[in-house]
């Protein structure tokens, strides 16, 4: 596999499809393209595949089942268990690239994509680190949902005297043993880190909540929540909201007395806005036992104090902000008019923007049916669309 894209002889070889990003979405797209006889080159700015997975906290596991998380052409091994660990996801991605003999270029960052001609039908030019310019027949952008940490610009943040870090920097609870820790944000990451801290010996763990989350059991009587997500994904949001409320009342206790009320908005309506339900991996029991204490949202920092929305002030030893990520696509493709007002791609999968034919996006949503599953499906659709458009391989 070539290590330097400048070594690729573009004068004698047909322009490849460039896939930007060697995470699960990018690798799946490249494998699906290769299976259809389309040459695909994966360009990755880090030194290996699955870079974002390598940076996640130690205890992370997929919240989707092993069987429903495999990428095209290679099942996940049974020895990984039902809920695959972070380290096993990385092993799988490494094996996936090797198994499919993917062309992988590492240590090169694509910084800007431009049409090869004003009409936008003649392929693309990729501007990359080291002054490289790469000619592409088509481009698949798979730089990841969790790309750039988003840390709110809280008043007083920069002068805060305590320790403040984004959840991306959190690995395990060992450094926080015996400490008072505030976790900000009650998505899946924040909820799991809070539980991890409790189990790892933190003296006190508080969880700052701005909007009450939907909490779901990861599985009930052996039935994974992901399968329910697959079944209801195409149903009207209002119907799924009603069904979700009934399921929650039957399977999740009311935590209002502990500071975590039931949400007032519908489950699927929230999903449509980009907020995925929290898969319970111990949060319910931790809240009921008082080992994780829900508190009001963070409003500001003042010296060594954290000011909460209810006016109270606390002085934790550390603040871990599980406040999400930005897609950070503006410099790469923002000038092409393919992003919405929140910086998200307007199209995904096999749909290519009207003004940017041959440009595809994958992995920029977090669907209720499972991200790995959707990226696998998108890969097949993208490969079919590219093959049909180029007349290469089986369409």
């Amino acid at each position: 596999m070539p290590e330097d894209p400048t070594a690729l002889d573009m004068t004698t070889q047909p322009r490849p499809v460039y896939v930007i990003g060697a995470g699960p979405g990018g690798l799946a797209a490249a494998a699906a393209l290769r299976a259809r006889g389309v040459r695909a080159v994966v360009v990755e700015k880090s030194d290996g595949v699955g870079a974002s997975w390598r940076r996640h906290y130690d205890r992370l596991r997929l919240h989707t089942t092993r069987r429903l998380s495999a990428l095209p052409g290679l099942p996940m091994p049974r020895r990984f268990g039902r809920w695959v660990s972070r380290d096993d996801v990385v092993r799988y991605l490494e094996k996936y690239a090797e198994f499919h003999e993917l062309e992988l270029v590492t240590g090169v960052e694509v910084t800007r994509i431009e049409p090869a001609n004003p009409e936008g039908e003649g392929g693309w030019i990729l501007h990359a680190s080291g002054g490289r310019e790469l000619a592409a027949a088509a481009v698949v952008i798979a730089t990841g949902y969790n790309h750039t940490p988003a840390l709110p610009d809280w008043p007083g943040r920069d002068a805060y005297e305590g320790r403040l870090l984004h959840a991306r920097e959190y690995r395990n609870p060992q450094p926080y043993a015996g400490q008072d820790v505030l976790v900000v944000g009650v998505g899946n990451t924040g909820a799991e880190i809070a539980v991890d801290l409790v189990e790892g010996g933190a003296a006190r763990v508080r969880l700052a909540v701005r909007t009450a989350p939907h909490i779901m059991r990861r599985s009930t009587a052996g039935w994974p929540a992901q399968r329910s997500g697959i079944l209801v994904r195409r149903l009207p949001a209002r119907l799924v909201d009603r069904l979700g409320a009934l399921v929650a009342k039957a399977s999740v206790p009311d935590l209002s007395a502990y500071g975590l009320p039931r949400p007032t908005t519908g489950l699927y309506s929230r999903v449509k806005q980009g907020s995925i339900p929290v898969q319970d991996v111990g949060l319910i029991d931790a809240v009921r036992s008082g080992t994780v204490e829900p508190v009001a949202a963070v409003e500001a920092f003042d010296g060594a104090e954290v000011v909460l929305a209810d006016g109270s002030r606390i002085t934790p030893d550390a603040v871990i902000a599980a406040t999400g990520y930005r897609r950070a696509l503006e410099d790469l493709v923002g000038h092409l008019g393919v992003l919405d007002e929140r910086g998200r791609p307007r199209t995904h999968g096999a749909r290519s923007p009207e003004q940017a034919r041959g440009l595809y996006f994958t992995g920029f949503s977090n669907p209720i049916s499972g991200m790995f599953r959707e990226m696998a499906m998108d890969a097949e659709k993208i490969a079919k669309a590219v093959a049909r458009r180029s007349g290469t391989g089986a369409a």
Side-chain angles (χ1 to χ4, degrees), residues 1 53 70 100 109 169 187-188 198 237 240 279 288 337 361:
M1 293 185 292
W53 275 91
H100 287 290
E109 181 179 8
E169 301 173 63
N188 278 294
V198 167
V240 180
Q279 301 283 319
R288 294 177 80 179
F361 296 90

Side-chain angles (χ1 to χ4, degrees), residues 36-377:
R36 289 183 176 272
V38 178
R39 183 172 174 232
V41 178
V42 183
V43 182
E44 167 60 44
K45 71 177 182 179
S46 70
D47 59 2
V49 303
S52 65
W53 275 91
R54 296 175 193 273
R55 290 191 296 263
H56 285 312
Y57 48 93
D58 295 348
R59 73 172 279 160
L60 178 65
R61 290 181 177 270
L62 285 177
H63 292 154
T64 54
T65 66
R66 169 180 54 81
R67 288 187 176 182
L68 295 175
S69 300
L71 302 178
L74 185 66
M76 286 188 173
R78 289 177 60 89
R79 68 178 182 276
F80 285 179
R82 194 180 200 193
W83 312 107
V84 183
S85 72
R86 180 204 65 179
D87 289 346
D88 282 337
V89 169
V90 173
R91 292 188 186 99
Y92 174 72
L93 296 178
E94 291 173 338
K95 179 64 177 178
Y96 192 84
E98 177 187 348
F99 178 82
H100 287 290
E101 299 180 337
L102 301 182
E103 288 191 64
L104 178 63
V105 177
T106 60
V108 174
E109 181 179 8
V110 177
T111 55
R112 186 176 176 89
I113 299 173
E114 294 181 337
N117 61 55
E119 288 73 32
E121 292 292 336
W124 299 90
I125 299 297
L126 281 60
H127 300 273
S129 55
R132 300 172 178 90
E133 290 190 359
L134 311 175
V139 181
V140 180
I141 300 176
T143 49
Y145 187 82
N146 295 334
H147 187 275
T148 300
L151 192 64
D153 188 20
W154 288 298
R157 185 193 74 182
D158 294 340
Y160 178 53
E161 297 172 7
R163 184 183 179 195
L164 171 64
L165 65 151
H166 190 272
R168 186 174 187 171
E169 301 173 63
Y170 177 87
R171 291 293 174 270
N172 58 64
Q174 184 176 350
Y176 308 95
Q179 294 190 5
D180 181 341
V181 186
L182 173 67
V183 180
V184 184
V186 68
N188 278 294
T189 297
E192 192 156 357
I193 287 176
V195 173
D196 198 31
L197 287 164
V198 167
E199 295 177 356
R204 185 176 190 179
V205 179
R206 284 174 281 203
L207 184 60
V209 180
R210 184 170 299 278
T211 304
H214 287 275
I215 303 175
M216 299 177 63
R217 301 288 188 184
R218 190 164 58 177
S219 66
T220 304
W223 178 266
Q226 181 189 8
R227 288 198 177 274
S228 297
I230 294 170
L231 291 175
V232 305
R233 192 179 180 199
R234 304 299 179 187
L235 296 178
R238 294 171 71 179
L239 173 60
V240 180
D241 286 348
R242 289 197 293 269
L243 292 173
L246 292 174
V247 171
K249 287 182 179 179
S251 62
V252 177
D254 187 355
L255 301 175
S256 299
Y258 304 94
L260 199 60
R262 292 193 186 277
T264 57
T265 53
L267 183 150
Y268 203 30
S269 294
R270 290 272 290 277
V271 169
K272 294 285 190 180
Q273 297 168 3
S275 179
I276 295 296
V278 171
Q279 301 283 319
D280 179 45
V281 291
L283 180 65
I284 293 173
D285 289 343
V287 169
R288 294 177 80 179
S289 68
T291 52
V292 170
E293 308 168 46
V295 296
V298 171
E299 286 294 300
F301 291 86
D302 184 9
E305 295 182 323
V306 181
V307 183
L308 304 181
D310 60 4
S312 61
R313 292 170 175 256
I314 59 176
T315 312
D317 297 308
V319 178
I320 301 173
T323 46
Y325 295 80
R326 295 187 298 107
R327 311 295 87 82
L329 292 167
E330 289 80 5
D331 290 343
L332 187 67
V333 295
H335 55 288
L336 300 175
V338 296
L339 305 178
D340 65 15
E341 63 280 356
R342 294 173 62 182
R344 303 173 302 181
R346 296 183 185 275
T347 61
H348 75 278
R351 292 179 57 211
S352 191
E354 287 287 341
Q355 72 275 32
R357 294 296 187 187
L359 188 65
Y360 303 91
F361 296 90
T362 183
F364 292 98
S365 63
N366 195 6
I368 196 172
S369 50
M371 184 181 287
F372 271 56
R373 178 179 181 272
E374 294 299 320
M375 286 189 293
M377 295 170 64

